[in-house]
Amino acid sequence: MRNANEANLTDAVLARLEGAKDPRFKKIMISLITHLHAVIRETELTEKEWFSAIQFLTSTGKQCDHRRQEYILLSDTLGVSMLVDAINHRKPDGATETTVLGPFYVSGAKDMPMWADIGGGAPGEPAYVSGRVLDVTGKPIPGAVLDVWQTDGEGFYDVQRDGGHEQYARGRFTTGADGRYGFRTVKPVSYPVPTDGPVGKMLLGMGRHPYRPAHVHAIVTAPDCERVATHLFVEGDEYLDSDAVFGVKHSLVVEFKAHPAGPAPDGGHSGVPFFAAEYDFRLVRYPAQLRAG
Ligand code: BEZ
Ligand code: FE
C-alpha cells in the first residue's frame, strides 16, 4: 500500500496482521493498534509530545532491574494491574477478594510457628494478627499456608533498607486442624510508592499523591483451593479512598483494635499496649473434576 494518510493508516496497519498465526495475539494486536491510533487522533498528538512519551517509556525501562520494576509500578498506578486482577479473579460471594501483589514480595520467607514474631526487631507498635483459613462454606482448611509481608512502623519494607538488611516483617505460617493462624508483628503504616523515577514524575504531573494505605500482604495457598494474593488494610487509614494503586476493597479493611498492656491474643501477657486484628480468609475450592485431574 502507498499513500498512507490520516484516514486510511489504521486500516493499513491492521491489514498487515492477516498473516498472524496465533489468533489470541492477533486479537490483542488489533485492539492495541486500534486504540493507540484513536488516542493519537483524539488528542491530535504533537511530534514533541510523542517524543516525550518515547523518552518516558525509555526511562521507565532504564529503571528496571532485579530490584526494581518501574513498568509494574506504571501498570499499578494506571489501574492496569487491578483491572487484570479483577478480570482474572472473579470470585463467588463470600470469598476473600484479591488485590495487587506489589514489588516487595520475596519468595522463600522463613517458616514460622503459630504466634511467632515476624517483626524481628523492626521499628513500630506491637500488633497481633490472627484468624482462620476457611472455605466459602465456612469449613476450616488445615494445612493452608499464609505467606505474609508488610512494612515496618516507619513505612519501609526490609528490602528497601540499605546494606542487605536482614529479612524482617515477613514469614510463612501453616494452619493446624482448626484452620487457625496467628502471628505477632508491628502495625503497618501508610507509605509512598517509589517516586524517584519516571512514574513519580507522572504522578506529580497528574496532581496525584503516591501513598498506599497501611496494609499486611498475604498470599494464601491450600490444597485443592484457588490461591489468593491479597492485603489486610488498616481501618481508619487516611489513604483508604485514594490508594495510589487502586487496590482497596471494602471487604479487606480490618480493625487494628488498640489494647492496653495485659492479656494478649496468643494467650500470654503483653507488658506494653498493642493492637489486635482478626480476619478469616475464605478460599474457593477447585471443582472436583479439576482436583481429580
Ligand atoms: C505494595 O503494596 O507493596 C505496592 C504495590 C504496588 C506498587 C508499589 C507497592
Ligand atoms: Fe505493600
Side-chain angles (χ1 to χ4, degrees):
M1 184 218 181
R2 296 184 186 180
N3 298 334
N5 60 34
E6 226 180 297
N8 64 18
L9 196 54
T10 306
D11 286 340
V13 179
L14 293 177
R16 298 276 172 98
L17 276 160
E18 261 167 23
K21 296 220 163 34
D22 178 340
R24 178 72 183 157
F25 177 68
K26 186 172 177 179
K27 183 177 174 153
I28 293 168
M29 288 311 292
I30 289 173
S31 181
L32 181 70
I33 292 160
T34 307
H35 287 279
L36 185 59
H37 283 215
V39 170
I40 293 162
R41 279 204 183 83
E42 187 180 309
T43 58
E44 303 218 314
L45 205 71
T46 66
E47 287 175 315
K48 195 171 162 213
E49 286 161 346
W50 182 231
F51 187 63
S52 65
I54 286 172
Q55 277 181 318
F56 172 79
L57 293 172
T58 305
S59 50
T60 300
K62 285 185 177 164
Q63 281 281 359
C64 295
D65 59 23
H66 66 288
R67 289 173 54 130
R68 171 130 176 208
Q69 236 298 352
E70 196 79 354
Y71 271 113
I72 295 184
L73 190 59
L74 180 62
S75 157
D76 293 341
T77 50
L78 292 181
V80 174
S81 303
M82 278 307 292
L83 188 54
V84 173
D85 182 81
I87 289 167
N88 285 274
H89 299 285
R90 295 179 180 126
K91 299 266 181 204
D93 283 352
T96 291
E97 295 187 274
T98 53
T99 189
V100 279
L101 184 68
F104 300 119
Y105 174 66
V106 177
S107 62
K110 284 189 204 117
D111 282 303
M112 296 183 172
M114 178 100 176
W115 294 120
D117 184 2
I118 66 167
E125 298 174 286
Y128 293 75
V129 179
S130 61
R132 292 171 300 166
V133 180
L134 310 169
D135 67 14
V136 282
T137 69
K139 193 167 167 226
I141 302 181
V145 176
L146 267 87
D147 203 337
V148 296
W149 70 104
Q150 61 165 91
T151 65
D152 57 31
E154 292 175 350
F156 292 101
Y157 288 89
D158 52 0
V159 291
Q160 293 178 292
R161 297 285 189 185
D162 284 336
H165 200 285
E166 240 184 69
Q167 205 169 80
Y168 68 66
R170 54 182 86 233
R172 272 161 54 101
F173 295 84
T174 303
T175 57
D178 53 4
R180 289 210 161 270
Y181 73 91
F183 56 93
R184 286 179 291 147
T185 183
V186 291
K187 189 180 173 214
V189 297
S190 42
Y191 64 90
V193 300
T195 54
D196 56 344
V199 172
K201 280 200 202 113
M202 179 193 78
L203 292 177
L204 205 62
M206 289 171 132
R208 285 171 53 179
H209 73 70
Y211 281 87
R212 297 219 61 209
H215 55 270
V216 178
H217 292 258
I219 295 177
V220 188
T221 49
D224 300 329
C225 292
E226 287 176 18
R227 166 190 186 268
V228 170
T230 194
H231 300 3
L232 304 182
F233 292 96
V234 178
E235 192 178 277
D237 190 283
E238 66 178 299
Y239 298 109
L240 283 173
D241 291 313
S242 63
D243 181 5
V245 304
F246 306 94
V248 179
K249 290 177 177 170
H250 185 65
S251 66
L252 301 174
V253 179
V254 178
E255 183 183 17
F256 276 65
K257 201 169 176 202
H259 292 267
D266 62 354
H269 180 275
S270 174
V272 292
F274 61 89
F275 293 89
E278 281 185 44
Y279 182 81
D280 290 343
F281 294 91
R282 287 174 185 264
L283 305 192
V284 177
R285 291 191 192 271
Y286 290 125
Q289 67 271 27
L290 284 182
R291 279 185 256 151

